[in-house]
PDB file of all heavy atoms in Angstrom:
ATOM      1  N   CYS A 222       0.826  -1.201   0.000  1.00 98.00           N
ATOM      2  CA  CYS A 222       0.000   0.000   0.000  1.00 98.00           C
ATOM      3  C   CYS A 222       0.864   1.257   0.000  1.00 98.00           C
ATOM      4  O   CYS A 222       0.572   2.225  -0.701  1.00 98.00           O
ATOM      5  CB  CYS A 222      -0.926  -0.021   1.213  1.00 98.00           C
ATOM      6  SG  CYS A 222      -2.258   1.192   1.122  1.00 98.00           S
ATOM      7  N   LYS A 223       1.937   1.234   0.781  1.00 98.00           N
ATOM      8  CA  LYS A 223       2.858   2.384   0.819  1.00 98.00           C
ATOM      9  C   LYS A 223       3.441   2.627  -0.574  1.00 98.00           C
ATOM     10  O   LYS A 223       3.502   3.766  -1.063  1.00 98.00           O
ATOM     11  CB  LYS A 223       3.966   2.091   1.831  1.00 98.00           C
ATOM     12  CG  LYS A 223       4.751   3.331   2.294  1.00 98.00           C
ATOM     13  CD  LYS A 223       5.860   3.718   1.377  1.00 98.00           C
ATOM     14  CE  LYS A 223       6.678   4.844   2.011  1.00 98.00           C
ATOM     15  NZ  LYS A 223       7.426   5.644   1.038  1.00 98.00           N
ATOM     16  N   PHE A 224       3.874   1.542  -1.226  1.00 98.00           N
ATOM     17  CA  PHE A 224       4.389   1.671  -2.589  1.00 98.00           C
ATOM     18  C   PHE A 224       3.331   2.252  -3.515  1.00 98.00           C
ATOM     19  O   PHE A 224       3.602   3.162  -4.303  1.00 98.00           O
ATOM     20  CB  PHE A 224       4.842   0.306  -3.116  1.00 98.00           C
ATOM     21  CG  PHE A 224       4.928   0.260  -4.618  1.00 98.00           C
ATOM     22  CD1 PHE A 224       6.010   0.814  -5.282  1.00 98.00           C
ATOM     23  CD2 PHE A 224       3.908  -0.304  -5.371  1.00 98.00           C
ATOM     24  CE1 PHE A 224       6.073   0.802  -6.672  1.00 98.00           C
ATOM     25  CE2 PHE A 224       3.962  -0.331  -6.757  1.00 98.00           C
ATOM     26  CZ  PHE A 224       5.051   0.229  -7.407  1.00 98.00           C
ATOM     27  N   SER A 225       2.116   1.719  -3.438  1.00 98.00           N
ATOM     28  CA  SER A 225       1.068   2.166  -4.362  1.00 98.00           C
ATOM     29  C   SER A 225       0.729   3.632  -4.145  1.00 98.00           C
ATOM     30  O   SER A 225       0.451   4.356  -5.109  1.00 98.00           O
ATOM     31  CB  SER A 225      -0.188   1.303  -4.213  1.00 98.00           C
ATOM     32  OG  SER A 225      -0.882   1.581  -3.011  1.00 98.00           O
ATOM     33  N   ASN A 226       0.756   4.079  -2.901  1.00 98.00           N
ATOM     34  CA  ASN A 226       0.485   5.491  -2.629  1.00 98.00           C
ATOM     35  C   ASN A 226       1.581   6.377  -3.211  1.00 98.00           C
ATOM     36  O   ASN A 226       1.308   7.428  -3.797  1.00 98.00           O
ATOM     37  CB  ASN A 226       0.360   5.726  -1.123  1.00 98.00           C
ATOM     38  CG  ASN A 226      -0.931   5.162  -0.567  1.00 98.00           C
ATOM     39  OD1 ASN A 226      -1.903   5.004  -1.288  1.00 98.00           O
ATOM     40  ND2 ASN A 226      -0.940   4.844   0.711  1.00 98.00           N
ATOM     41  N   ASP A 227       2.833   5.958  -3.023  1.00 98.00           N
ATOM     42  CA  ASP A 227       3.947   6.722  -3.605  1.00 98.00           C
ATOM     43  C   ASP A 227       3.809   6.809  -5.119  1.00 98.00           C
ATOM     44  O   ASP A 227       4.005   7.877  -5.722  1.00 98.00           O
ATOM     45  CB  ASP A 227       5.286   6.062  -3.255  1.00 98.00           C
ATOM     46  CG  ASP A 227       5.737   6.343  -1.832  1.00 98.00           C
ATOM     47  OD1 ASP A 227       5.046   7.113  -1.124  1.00 98.00           O
ATOM     48  OD2 ASP A 227       6.778   5.806  -1.424  1.00 98.00           O
ATOM     49  N   LEU A 228       3.478   5.680  -5.749  1.00 98.00           N
ATOM     50  CA  LEU A 228       3.390   5.668  -7.206  1.00 98.00           C
ATOM     51  C   LEU A 228       2.229   6.523  -7.706  1.00 98.00           C
ATOM     52  O   LEU A 228       2.335   7.204  -8.732  1.00 98.00           O
ATOM     53  CB  LEU A 228       3.257   4.229  -7.722  1.00 98.00           C
ATOM     54  CG  LEU A 228       3.272   4.083  -9.246  1.00 98.00           C
ATOM     55  CD1 LEU A 228       4.524   4.713  -9.842  1.00 98.00           C
ATOM     56  CD2 LEU A 228       3.167   2.617  -9.648  1.00 98.00           C
ATOM     57  N   ARG A 229       1.132   6.515  -6.978  1.00 97.00           N
ATOM     58  CA  ARG A 229      -0.002   7.352  -7.382  1.00 97.00           C
ATOM     59  C   ARG A 229       0.362   8.826  -7.315  1.00 97.00           C
ATOM     60  O   ARG A 229      -0.037   9.622  -8.182  1.00 97.00           O
ATOM     61  CB  ARG A 229      -1.205   7.048  -6.493  1.00 97.00           C
ATOM     62  CG  ARG A 229      -1.802   5.675  -6.769  1.00 97.00           C
ATOM     63  CD  ARG A 229      -2.608   5.159  -5.601  1.00 97.00           C
ATOM     64  NE  ARG A 229      -3.829   5.926  -5.407  1.00 97.00           N
ATOM     65  CZ  ARG A 229      -4.589   5.838  -4.316  1.00 97.00           C
ATOM     66  NH1 ARG A 229      -4.248   5.034  -3.319  1.00 97.00           N
ATOM     67  NH2 ARG A 229      -5.693   6.546  -4.223  1.00 97.00           N
ATOM     68  N   LEU A 230       1.138   9.208  -6.303  1.00 97.00           N
ATOM     69  CA  LEU A 230       1.606  10.597  -6.218  1.00 97.00           C
ATOM     70  C   LEU A 230       2.576  10.903  -7.349  1.00 97.00           C
ATOM     71  O   LEU A 230       2.497  11.972  -7.982  1.00 97.00           O
ATOM     72  CB  LEU A 230       2.271  10.840  -4.864  1.00 97.00           C
ATOM     73  CG  LEU A 230       1.348  10.798  -3.643  1.00 97.00           C
ATOM     74  CD1 LEU A 230       2.162  10.821  -2.356  1.00 97.00           C
ATOM     75  CD2 LEU A 230       0.352  11.949  -3.668  1.00 97.00           C
ATOM     76  N   LEU A 231       3.488   9.971  -7.632  1.00 97.00           N
ATOM     77  CA  LEU A 231       4.452  10.180  -8.712  1.00 97.00           C
ATOM     78  C   LEU A 231       3.757  10.255 -10.072  1.00 97.00           C
ATOM     79  O   LEU A 231       4.183  11.012 -10.954  1.00 97.00           O
ATOM     80  CB  LEU A 231       5.484   9.049  -8.719  1.00 97.00           C
ATOM     81  CG  LEU A 231       6.500   9.078  -7.582  1.00 97.00           C
ATOM     82  CD1 LEU A 231       7.261   7.760  -7.498  1.00 97.00           C
ATOM     83  CD2 LEU A 231       7.473  10.243  -7.752  1.00 97.00           C
ATOM     84  N   GLN A 232       2.686   9.479 -10.232  1.00 96.00           N
ATOM     85  CA  GLN A 232       1.957   9.533 -11.498  1.00 96.00           C
ATOM     86  C   GLN A 232       1.249  10.876 -11.642  1.00 96.00           C
ATOM     87  O   GLN A 232       1.176  11.437 -12.745  1.00 96.00           O
ATOM     88  CB  GLN A 232       0.950   8.380 -11.589  1.00 96.00           C
ATOM     89  CG  GLN A 232       0.228   8.311 -12.924  1.00 96.00           C
ATOM     90  CD  GLN A 232      -0.107   6.895 -13.355  1.00 96.00           C
ATOM     91  OE1 GLN A 232       0.565   5.945 -12.991  1.00 96.00           O
ATOM     92  NE2 GLN A 232      -1.140   6.753 -14.160  1.00 96.00           N
ATOM     93  N   ASN A 233       0.759  11.428 -10.544  1.00 96.00           N
ATOM     94  CA  ASN A 233       0.174  12.764 -10.595  1.00 96.00           C
ATOM     95  C   ASN A 233       1.230  13.805 -10.962  1.00 96.00           C
ATOM     96  O   ASN A 233       0.950  14.753 -11.711  1.00 96.00           O
ATOM     97  CB  ASN A 233      -0.453  13.117  -9.245  1.00 96.00           C
ATOM     98  CG  ASN A 233      -0.959  14.542  -9.195  1.00 96.00           C
ATOM     99  OD1 ASN A 233      -0.252  15.442  -8.739  1.00 96.00           O
ATOM    100  ND2 ASN A 233      -2.164  14.760  -9.671  1.00 96.00           N
ATOM    101  N   LEU A 234       2.456  13.604 -10.469  1.00 97.00           N
ATOM    102  CA  LEU A 234       3.550  14.528 -10.790  1.00 97.00           C
ATOM    103  C   LEU A 234       4.096  14.308 -12.194  1.00 97.00           C
ATOM    104  O   LEU A 234       4.943  15.072 -12.664  1.00 97.00           O
ATOM    105  CB  LEU A 234       4.686  14.359  -9.776  1.00 97.00           C
ATOM    106  CG  LEU A 234       4.367  14.709  -8.321  1.00 97.00           C
ATOM    107  CD1 LEU A 234       5.537  14.342  -7.420  1.00 97.00           C
ATOM    108  CD2 LEU A 234       4.025  16.189  -8.176  1.00 97.00           C
ATOM    109  N   LYS A 235       3.635  13.245 -12.848  1.00 96.00           N
ATOM    110  CA  LYS A 235       4.065  12.878 -14.211  1.00 96.00           C
ATOM    111  C   LYS A 235       5.541  12.488 -14.267  1.00 96.00           C
ATOM    112  O   LYS A 235       6.192  12.608 -15.298  1.00 96.00           O
ATOM    113  CB  LYS A 235       3.765  14.005 -15.210  1.00 96.00           C
ATOM    114  CG  LYS A 235       2.285  14.314 -15.345  1.00 96.00           C
ATOM    115  CD  LYS A 235       2.027  15.432 -16.344  1.00 96.00           C
ATOM    116  CE  LYS A 235       0.534  15.635 -16.570  1.00 96.00           C
ATOM    117  NZ  LYS A 235      -0.202  15.994 -15.335  1.00 96.00           N
ATOM    118  N   GLU A 236       6.069  11.989 -13.137  1.00 97.00           N
ATOM    119  CA  GLU A 236       7.467  11.549 -13.099  1.00 97.00           C
ATOM    120  C   GLU A 236       7.592  10.060 -13.406  1.00 97.00           C
ATOM    121  O   GLU A 236       8.463   9.648 -14.173  1.00 97.00           O
ATOM    122  CB  GLU A 236       8.081  11.847 -11.729  1.00 97.00           C
ATOM    123  CG  GLU A 236       8.260  13.336 -11.454  1.00 97.00           C
ATOM    124  CD  GLU A 236       9.093  13.603 -10.209  1.00 97.00           C
ATOM    125  OE1 GLU A 236       9.648  12.640  -9.630  1.00 97.00           O
ATOM    126  OE2 GLU A 236       9.197  14.775  -9.813  1.00 97.00           O
ATOM    127  N   ILE A 237       6.744   9.253 -12.804  1.00 97.00           N
ATOM    128  CA  ILE A 237       6.762   7.797 -13.010  1.00 97.00           C
ATOM    129  C   ILE A 237       5.317   7.311 -13.071  1.00 97.00           C
ATOM    130  O   ILE A 237       4.469   7.763 -12.295  1.00 97.00           O
ATOM    131  CB  ILE A 237       7.507   7.070 -11.874  1.00 97.00           C
ATOM    132  CG1 ILE A 237       8.938   7.586 -11.745  1.00 97.00           C
ATOM    133  CG2 ILE A 237       7.519   5.561 -12.106  1.00 97.00           C
ATOM    134  CD1 ILE A 237       9.715   6.976 -10.578  1.00 97.00           C
ATOM    135  N   GLU A 238       5.043   6.397 -13.998  1.00 96.00           N
ATOM    136  CA  GLU A 238       3.686   5.866 -14.153  1.00 96.00           C
ATOM    137  C   GLU A 238       3.697   4.357 -14.105  1.00 96.00           C
ATOM    138  O   GLU A 238       4.692   3.703 -14.449  1.00 96.00           O
ATOM    139  CB  GLU A 238       3.088   6.313 -15.491  1.00 96.00           C
ATOM    140  CG  GLU A 238       2.781   7.797 -15.579  1.00 96.00           C
ATOM    141  CD  GLU A 238       2.159   8.179 -16.914  1.00 96.00           C
ATOM    142  OE1 GLU A 238       2.210   7.345 -17.857  1.00 96.00           O
ATOM    143  OE2 GLU A 238       1.628   9.289 -17.016  1.00 96.00           O
ATOM    144  N   GLU A 239       2.574   3.794 -13.695  1.00 94.00           N
ATOM    145  CA  GLU A 239       2.393   2.354 -13.797  1.00 94.00           C
ATOM    146  C   GLU A 239       2.162   2.002 -15.260  1.00 94.00           C
ATOM    147  O   GLU A 239       1.870   2.868 -16.089  1.00 94.00           O
ATOM    148  CB  GLU A 239       1.213   1.891 -12.938  1.00 94.00           C
ATOM    149  CG  GLU A 239      -0.144   2.374 -13.408  1.00 94.00           C
ATOM    150  CD  GLU A 239      -1.289   1.756 -12.617  1.00 94.00           C
ATOM    151  OE1 GLU A 239      -1.169   1.617 -11.383  1.00 94.00           O
ATOM    152  OE2 GLU A 239      -2.313   1.424 -13.238  1.00 94.00           O
ATOM    153  N   PRO A 240       2.302   0.719 -15.623  1.00 89.00           N
ATOM    154  CA  PRO A 240       2.079   0.319 -17.026  1.00 89.00           C
ATOM    155  C   PRO A 240       0.673   0.693 -17.489  1.00 89.00           C
ATOM    156  O   PRO A 240      -0.285   0.645 -16.712  1.00 89.00           O
ATOM    157  CB  PRO A 240       2.255  -1.201 -16.991  1.00 89.00           C
ATOM    158  CG  PRO A 240       3.012  -1.483 -15.748  1.00 89.00           C
ATOM    159  CD  PRO A 240       2.648  -0.427 -14.770  1.00 89.00           C
ATOM    160  N   PHE A 241       0.573   1.074 -18.743  1.00 73.00           N
ATOM    161  CA  PHE A 241      -0.723   1.431 -19.332  1.00 73.00           C
ATOM    162  C   PHE A 241      -0.769   0.801 -20.712  1.00 73.00           C
ATOM    163  O   PHE A 241       0.021   1.136 -21.592  1.00 73.00           O
ATOM    164  CB  PHE A 241      -0.867   2.953 -19.431  1.00 73.00           C
ATOM    165  CG  PHE A 241      -2.279   3.421 -19.674  1.00 73.00           C
ATOM    166  CD1 PHE A 241      -3.143   3.658 -18.607  1.00 73.00           C
ATOM    167  CD2 PHE A 241      -2.752   3.632 -20.960  1.00 73.00           C
ATOM    168  CE1 PHE A 241      -4.445   4.101 -18.816  1.00 73.00           C
ATOM    169  CE2 PHE A 241      -4.050   4.069 -21.186  1.00 73.00           C
ATOM    170  CZ  PHE A 241      -4.893   4.308 -20.106  1.00 73.00           C
ATOM    171  N   GLU A 242      -1.687  -0.138 -20.895  1.00 58.00           N
ATOM    172  CA  GLU A 242      -1.703  -0.892 -22.141  1.00 58.00           C
ATOM    173  C   GLU A 242      -2.234  -0.070 -23.309  1.00 58.00           C
ATOM    174  O   GLU A 242      -2.961   0.905 -23.122  1.00 58.00           O
ATOM    175  CB  GLU A 242      -2.535  -2.170 -21.937  1.00 58.00           C
ATOM    176  CG  GLU A 242      -1.903  -3.113 -20.919  1.00 58.00           C
ATOM    177  CD  GLU A 242      -2.801  -4.271 -20.562  1.00 58.00           C
ATOM    178  OE1 GLU A 242      -3.751  -4.540 -21.320  1.00 58.00           O
ATOM    179  OE2 GLU A 242      -2.551  -4.897 -19.516  1.00 58.00           O
ATOM    180  N   LYS A 243      -1.881  -0.494 -24.517  1.00 44.00           N
ATOM    181  CA  LYS A 243      -2.170   0.268 -25.732  1.00 44.00           C
ATOM    182  C   LYS A 243      -3.645   0.620 -25.866  1.00 44.00           C
ATOM    183  O   LYS A 243      -4.003   1.756 -26.203  1.00 44.00           O
ATOM    184  CB  LYS A 243      -1.705  -0.527 -26.955  1.00 44.00           C
ATOM    185  CG  LYS A 243      -1.945   0.193 -28.283  1.00 44.00           C
ATOM    186  CD  LYS A 243      -1.468  -0.661 -29.458  1.00 44.00           C
ATOM    187  CE  LYS A 243      -1.750   0.041 -30.781  1.00 44.00           C
ATOM    188  NZ  LYS A 243      -1.324  -0.787 -31.939  1.00 44.00           N
ATOM    189  N   ASN A 244      -4.517  -0.322 -25.597  1.00 43.00           N
ATOM    190  CA  ASN A 244      -5.949  -0.098 -25.786  1.00 43.00           C
ATOM    191  C   ASN A 244      -6.703   0.134 -24.481  1.00 43.00           C
ATOM    192  O   ASN A 244      -7.934   0.130 -24.453  1.00 43.00           O
ATOM    193  CB  ASN A 244      -6.563  -1.298 -26.523  1.00 43.00           C
ATOM    194  CG  ASN A 244      -5.999  -1.457 -27.920  1.00 43.00           C
ATOM    195  OD1 ASN A 244      -5.867  -0.490 -28.653  1.00 43.00           O
ATOM    196  ND2 ASN A 244      -5.641  -2.690 -28.278  1.00 43.00           N
ATOM    197  N   GLN A 245      -5.947   0.321 -23.393  1.00 46.00           N
ATOM    198  CA  GLN A 245      -6.582   0.520 -22.091  1.00 46.00           C
ATOM    199  C   GLN A 245      -7.294   1.872 -22.034  1.00 46.00           C
ATOM    200  O   GLN A 245      -6.781   2.883 -22.507  1.00 46.00           O
ATOM    201  CB  GLN A 245      -5.528   0.445 -20.982  1.00 46.00           C
ATOM    202  CG  GLN A 245      -6.093   0.573 -19.576  1.00 46.00           C
ATOM    203  CD  GLN A 245      -5.007   0.368 -18.529  1.00 46.00           C
ATOM    204  OE1 GLN A 245      -4.027  -0.327 -18.762  1.00 46.00           O
ATOM    205  NE2 GLN A 245      -5.184   0.994 -17.372  1.00 46.00           N
ATOM    206  N   ILE A 246      -8.469   1.878 -21.434  1.00 42.00           N
ATOM    207  CA  ILE A 246      -9.233   3.117 -21.263  1.00 42.00           C
ATOM    208  C   ILE A 246      -9.115   3.565 -19.818  1.00 42.00           C
ATOM    209  O   ILE A 246      -9.393   2.803 -18.891  1.00 42.00           O
ATOM    210  CB  ILE A 246     -10.716   2.901 -21.641  1.00 42.00           C
ATOM    211  CG1 ILE A 246     -10.827   2.576 -23.139  1.00 42.00           C
ATOM    212  CG2 ILE A 246     -11.551   4.141 -21.289  1.00 42.00           C
ATOM    213  CD1 ILE A 246     -12.228   2.191 -23.570  1.00 42.00           C
ATOM    214  N   GLY A 247      -8.690   4.810 -19.627  1.00 49.00           N
ATOM    215  CA  GLY A 247      -8.497   5.323 -18.284  1.00 49.00           C
ATOM    216  C   GLY A 247      -9.770   5.857 -17.662  1.00 49.00           C
ATOM    217  O   GLY A 247      -9.956   5.795 -16.454  1.00 49.00           O
ATOM    218  N   SER A 248     -10.659   6.402 -18.460  1.00 45.00           N
ATOM    219  CA  SER A 248     -11.892   6.982 -17.936  1.00 45.00           C
ATOM    220  C   SER A 248     -12.972   6.887 -19.001  1.00 45.00           C
ATOM    221  O   SER A 248     -12.710   7.134 -20.188  1.00 45.00           O
ATOM    222  CB  SER A 248     -11.670   8.450 -17.539  1.00 45.00           C
ATOM    223  OG  SER A 248     -12.891   9.114 -17.302  1.00 45.00           O
ATOM    224  N   SER A 249     -14.181   6.564 -18.566  1.00 43.00           N
ATOM    225  CA  SER A 249     -15.282   6.463 -19.534  1.00 43.00           C
ATOM    226  C   SER A 249     -15.703   7.833 -20.043  1.00 43.00           C
ATOM    227  O   SER A 249     -16.315   7.945 -21.107  1.00 43.00           O
ATOM    228  CB  SER A 249     -16.479   5.757 -18.880  1.00 43.00           C
ATOM    229  OG  SER A 249     -16.937   6.507 -17.761  1.00 43.00           O
ATOM    230  N   ALA A 250     -15.381   8.890 -19.277  1.00 45.00           N
ATOM    231  CA  ALA A 250     -15.768  10.245 -19.669  1.00 45.00           C
ATOM    232  C   ALA A 250     -14.596  11.027 -20.251  1.00 45.00           C
ATOM    233  O   ALA A 250     -14.729  11.698 -21.273  1.00 45.00           O
ATOM    234  CB  ALA A 250     -16.340  10.991 -18.459  1.00 45.00           C
ATOM    235  N   MET A 251     -13.442  10.932 -19.580  1.00 46.00           N
ATOM    236  CA  MET A 251     -12.277  11.741 -19.963  1.00 46.00           C
ATOM    237  C   MET A 251     -11.275  10.854 -20.694  1.00 46.00           C
ATOM    238  O   MET A 251     -10.455  10.166 -20.068  1.00 46.00           O
ATOM    239  CB  MET A 251     -11.658  12.377 -18.714  1.00 46.00           C
ATOM    240  CG  MET A 251     -12.601  13.379 -18.045  1.00 46.00           C
ATOM    241  SD  MET A 251     -12.130  13.805 -16.351  1.00 46.00           S
ATOM    242  CE  MET A 251     -12.776  12.393 -15.447  1.00 46.00           C
ATOM    243  N   ALA A 252     -11.333  10.873 -21.999  1.00 40.00           N
ATOM    244  CA  ALA A 252     -10.560   9.929 -22.812  1.00 40.00           C
ATOM    245  C   ALA A 252      -9.056  10.095 -22.680  1.00 40.00           C
ATOM    246  O   ALA A 252      -8.299   9.170 -22.964  1.00 40.00           O
ATOM    247  CB  ALA A 252     -10.976  10.086 -24.281  1.00 40.00           C
ATOM    248  N   TYR A 253      -8.605  11.269 -22.244  1.00 44.00           N
ATOM    249  CA  TYR A 253      -7.169  11.542 -22.146  1.00 44.00           C
ATOM    250  C   TYR A 253      -6.536  10.946 -20.896  1.00 44.00           C
ATOM    251  O   TYR A 253      -5.319  10.882 -20.770  1.00 44.00           O
ATOM    252  CB  TYR A 253      -6.926  13.059 -22.133  1.00 44.00           C
ATOM    253  CG  TYR A 253      -7.547  13.761 -20.945  1.00 44.00           C
ATOM    254  CD1 TYR A 253      -6.856  13.873 -19.738  1.00 44.00           C
ATOM    255  CD2 TYR A 253      -8.837  14.279 -21.020  1.00 44.00           C
ATOM    256  CE1 TYR A 253      -7.442  14.493 -18.646  1.00 44.00           C
ATOM    257  CE2 TYR A 253      -9.427  14.902 -19.925  1.00 44.00           C
ATOM    258  CZ  TYR A 253      -8.729  15.008 -18.745  1.00 44.00           C
ATOM    259  OH  TYR A 253      -9.304  15.622 -17.659  1.00 44.00           O
ATOM    260  N   LYS A 254      -7.344  10.495 -19.948  1.00 48.00           N
ATOM    261  CA  LYS A 254      -6.822  10.132 -18.632  1.00 48.00           C
ATOM    262  C   LYS A 254      -6.091   8.791 -18.637  1.00 48.00           C
ATOM    263  O   LYS A 254      -6.449   7.870 -19.361  1.00 48.00           O
ATOM    264  CB  LYS A 254      -7.961  10.085 -17.606  1.00 48.00           C
ATOM    265  CG  LYS A 254      -8.572  11.438 -17.290  1.00 48.00           C
ATOM    266  CD  LYS A 254      -9.487  11.370 -16.086  1.00 48.00           C
ATOM    267  CE  LYS A 254      -8.673  11.317 -14.810  1.00 48.00           C
ATOM    268  NZ  LYS A 254      -9.551  11.292 -13.615  1.00 48.00           N
ATOM    269  N   ARG A 255      -5.068   8.720 -17.780  1.00 75.00           N
ATOM    270  CA  ARG A 255      -4.330   7.479 -17.531  1.00 75.00           C
ATOM    271  C   ARG A 255      -4.378   7.223 -16.028  1.00 75.00           C
ATOM    272  O   ARG A 255      -3.433   7.519 -15.302  1.00 75.00           O
ATOM    273  CB  ARG A 255      -2.885   7.601 -18.020  1.00 75.00           C
ATOM    274  CG  ARG A 255      -2.746   7.682 -19.528  1.00 75.00           C
ATOM    275  CD  ARG A 255      -1.333   8.073 -19.936  1.00 75.00           C
ATOM    276  NE  ARG A 255      -0.353   7.072 -19.539  1.00 75.00           N
ATOM    277  CZ  ARG A 255       0.307   6.281 -20.390  1.00 75.00           C
ATOM    278  NH1 ARG A 255       0.076   6.367 -21.690  1.00 75.00           N
ATOM    279  NH2 ARG A 255       1.200   5.412 -19.958  1.00 75.00           N
ATOM    280  N   ASN A 256      -5.491   6.728 -15.566  1.00 86.00           N
ATOM    281  CA  ASN A 256      -5.662   6.532 -14.132  1.00 86.00           C
ATOM    282  C   ASN A 256      -4.802   5.373 -13.629  1.00 86.00           C
ATOM    283  O   ASN A 256      -4.680   4.351 -14.304  1.00 86.00           O
ATOM    284  CB  ASN A 256      -7.135   6.238 -13.810  1.00 86.00           C
ATOM    285  CG  ASN A 256      -8.036   7.404 -14.150  1.00 86.00           C
ATOM    286  OD1 ASN A 256      -7.586   8.542 -14.174  1.00 86.00           O
ATOM    287  ND2 ASN A 256      -9.298   7.123 -14.415  1.00 86.00           N
ATOM    288  N   PRO A 257      -4.224   5.507 -12.430  1.00 92.00           N
ATOM    289  CA  PRO A 257      -3.374   4.449 -11.879  1.00 92.00           C
ATOM    290  C   PRO A 257      -4.208   3.333 -11.240  1.00 92.00           C
ATOM    291  O   PRO A 257      -4.119   3.065 -10.039  1.00 92.00           O
ATOM    292  CB  PRO A 257      -2.533   5.195 -10.839  1.00 92.00           C
ATOM    293  CG  PRO A 257      -3.438   6.293 -10.364  1.00 92.00           C
ATOM    294  CD  PRO A 257      -4.240   6.708 -11.570  1.00 92.00           C
ATOM    295  N   MET A 258      -5.017   2.667 -12.044  1.00 93.00           N
ATOM    296  CA  MET A 258      -6.001   1.731 -11.505  1.00 93.00           C
ATOM    297  C   MET A 258      -5.359   0.523 -10.827  1.00 93.00           C
ATOM    298  O   MET A 258      -5.896  -0.016  -9.860  1.00 93.00           O
ATOM    299  CB  MET A 258      -6.974   1.285 -12.597  1.00 93.00           C
ATOM    300  CG  MET A 258      -6.380   0.683 -13.868  1.00 93.00           C
ATOM    301  SD  MET A 258      -5.849  -1.047 -13.749  1.00 93.00           S
ATOM    302  CE  MET A 258      -7.402  -1.849 -13.440  1.00 93.00           C
ATOM    303  N   ARG A 259      -4.199   0.088 -11.297  1.00 95.00           N
ATOM    304  CA  ARG A 259      -3.574  -1.080 -10.670  1.00 95.00           C
ATOM    305  C   ARG A 259      -3.043  -0.714  -9.282  1.00 95.00           C
ATOM    306  O   ARG A 259      -3.190  -1.496  -8.328  1.00 95.00           O
ATOM    307  CB  ARG A 259      -2.456  -1.627 -11.554  1.00 95.00           C
ATOM    308  CG  ARG A 259      -2.968  -2.079 -12.910  1.00 95.00           C
ATOM    309  CD  ARG A 259      -1.876  -2.602 -13.822  1.00 95.00           C
ATOM    310  NE  ARG A 259      -2.312  -2.469 -15.208  1.00 95.00           N
ATOM    311  CZ  ARG A 259      -1.748  -3.068 -16.231  1.00 95.00           C
ATOM    312  NH1 ARG A 259      -0.726  -3.874 -16.046  1.00 95.00           N
ATOM    313  NH2 ARG A 259      -2.209  -2.878 -17.455  1.00 95.00           N
ATOM    314  N   SER A 260      -2.449   0.450  -9.191  1.00 96.00           N
ATOM    315  CA  SER A 260      -1.971   0.915  -7.890  1.00 96.00           C
ATOM    316  C   SER A 260      -3.138   1.150  -6.943  1.00 96.00           C
ATOM    317  O   SER A 260      -3.044   0.876  -5.733  1.00 96.00           O
ATOM    318  CB  SER A 260      -1.160   2.202  -8.044  1.00 96.00           C
ATOM    319  OG  SER A 260      -0.036   1.985  -8.862  1.00 96.00           O
ATOM    320  N   GLU A 261      -4.231   1.657  -7.481  1.00 97.00           N
ATOM    321  CA  GLU A 261      -5.416   1.866  -6.649  1.00 97.00           C
ATOM    322  C   GLU A 261      -5.981   0.535  -6.158  1.00 97.00           C
ATOM    323  O   GLU A 261      -6.452   0.420  -5.023  1.00 97.00           O
ATOM    324  CB  GLU A 261      -6.466   2.658  -7.430  1.00 97.00           C
ATOM    325  CG  GLU A 261      -6.061   4.113  -7.642  1.00 97.00           C
ATOM    326  CD  GLU A 261      -6.989   4.853  -8.581  1.00 97.00           C
ATOM    327  OE1 GLU A 261      -7.490   4.240  -9.548  1.00 97.00           O
ATOM    328  OE2 GLU A 261      -7.211   6.049  -8.351  1.00 97.00           O
ATOM    329  N   ARG A 262      -5.904  -0.484  -7.005  1.00 97.00           N
ATOM    330  CA  ARG A 262      -6.382  -1.804  -6.587  1.00 97.00           C
ATOM    331  C   ARG A 262      -5.472  -2.376  -5.491  1.00 97.00           C
ATOM    332  O   ARG A 262      -5.953  -3.025  -4.550  1.00 97.00           O
ATOM    333  CB  ARG A 262      -6.455  -2.760  -7.774  1.00 97.00           C
ATOM    334  CG  ARG A 262      -7.009  -4.131  -7.394  1.00 97.00           C
ATOM    335  CD  ARG A 262      -7.129  -5.052  -8.597  1.00 97.00           C
ATOM    336  NE  ARG A 262      -8.201  -4.638  -9.489  1.00 97.00           N
ATOM    337  CZ  ARG A 262      -8.562  -5.313 -10.582  1.00 97.00           C
ATOM    338  NH1 ARG A 262      -7.922  -6.430 -10.910  1.00 97.00           N
ATOM    339  NH2 ARG A 262      -9.541  -4.882 -11.352  1.00 97.00           N
ATOM    340  N   ILE A 263      -4.169  -2.154  -5.619  1.00 98.00           N
ATOM    341  CA  ILE A 263      -3.248  -2.573  -4.558  1.00 98.00           C
ATOM    342  C   ILE A 263      -3.651  -1.928  -3.237  1.00 98.00           C
ATOM    343  O   ILE A 263      -3.746  -2.589  -2.196  1.00 98.00           O
ATOM    344  CB  ILE A 263      -1.792  -2.207  -4.908  1.00 98.00           C
ATOM    345  CG1 ILE A 263      -1.283  -3.054  -6.069  1.00 98.00           C
ATOM    346  CG2 ILE A 263      -0.881  -2.376  -3.686  1.00 98.00           C
ATOM    347  CD1 ILE A 263       0.097  -2.653  -6.577  1.00 98.00           C
TER     348      ILE A 263
END
């Protein structure tokens, strides 16, 4: 959980991101988003 929280903050800072697959959808409304869903699940 500590790791996932750090990574979610880093992803907000745009420094480090979790993997995001080619056809993955980050948000049903905001098509540009790359939500850290795996870290959130952790």
